[in-house]
């Protein structure tokens, strides 16, 4: 299982790519960055939110929305960059974010 620092490193590198910069690419994160770049090439997203803090007082959680924007074909997209296991609370938060933003809840695990 990857640790929090690894997760943060991958997320920071992907954000740098989104902002048009070149991240330091170590062998440990190279595969993640390759997959992210492929996603960007295939879906050409226009991100409105990148690493956006959010929460829900009613359900008692807070976290960071990795990406929200529009894909090349006009579909809205919430992207959750994963570096490890899926956890129930994070899946719940992602579903709540989709509901709040009016996005249909579908999962697509191509990358």
């Amino acid at each position: 299982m990857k640790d929090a620092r690894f997760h943060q490193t991958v997320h920071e590198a992907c954000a740098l790519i989104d902002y048009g910069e070149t991240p330091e690419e170590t062998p440990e994160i190279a595969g993640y960055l390759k997959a992210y770049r492929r996603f960007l090439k295939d879906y050409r997203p226009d991100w409105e939110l990148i690493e956006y803090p959010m929460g829900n007082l009613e359900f008692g959680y807070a976290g960071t929305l990795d990406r929200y924007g529009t894909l090349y074909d006009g579909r809205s997209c919430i992207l959750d960059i994963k570096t490890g296991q899926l956890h129930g609370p994070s899946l719940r938060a992602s579903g709540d974010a989709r509901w709040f933003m009016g996005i249909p809840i579908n999962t697509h695990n191509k990358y």
Side-chain angles (χ1 to χ4, degrees):
M1 182 171 191
K2 307 292 185 186
D3 65 10
R5 180 68 191 134
F6 179 82
H7 174 84
Q8 181 179 354
T9 299
V10 171
H11 278 249
E12 288 172 354
C14 290
L16 287 172
I17 291 169
D18 289 327
Y19 292 122
E21 299 180 35
T22 303
E24 178 182 347
E25 192 164 328
T26 63
E28 293 80 21
I29 68 169
Y32 293 91
L33 299 186
K34 179 179 179 181
Y36 189 63
R37 286 183 179 110
R38 172 119 187 247
F39 170 84
L40 295 176
K41 179 182 174 196
D42 289 351
Y43 290 94
R44 302 183 306 277
D46 179 19
W47 298 131
E48 295 174 39
L49 302 173
I50 297 172
E51 298 297 329
Y52 183 77
M54 62 182 300
N56 184 313
L57 292 174
E58 181 181 349
F59 294 114
Y61 68 81
T64 302
L65 178 66
D66 295 347
R67 304 288 184 279
Y68 170 75
T70 306
L71 302 178
Y72 74 95
D73 61 2
R75 288 181 294 163
S76 295
C77 172
I78 292 177
L79 180 68
D80 192 9
I81 298 169
K82 290 297 181 196
T83 59
Q85 241 176 327
L86 295 176
H87 298 283
S90 70
L91 294 175
R92 171 61 195 214
S94 181
D96 286 349
R98 288 182 176 107
W99 175 83
F100 177 75
M101 294 177 169
I103 298 171
I105 299 176
N106 297 317
T107 59
H108 184 68
N109 296 316
K110 183 175 179 180
Y111 300 89

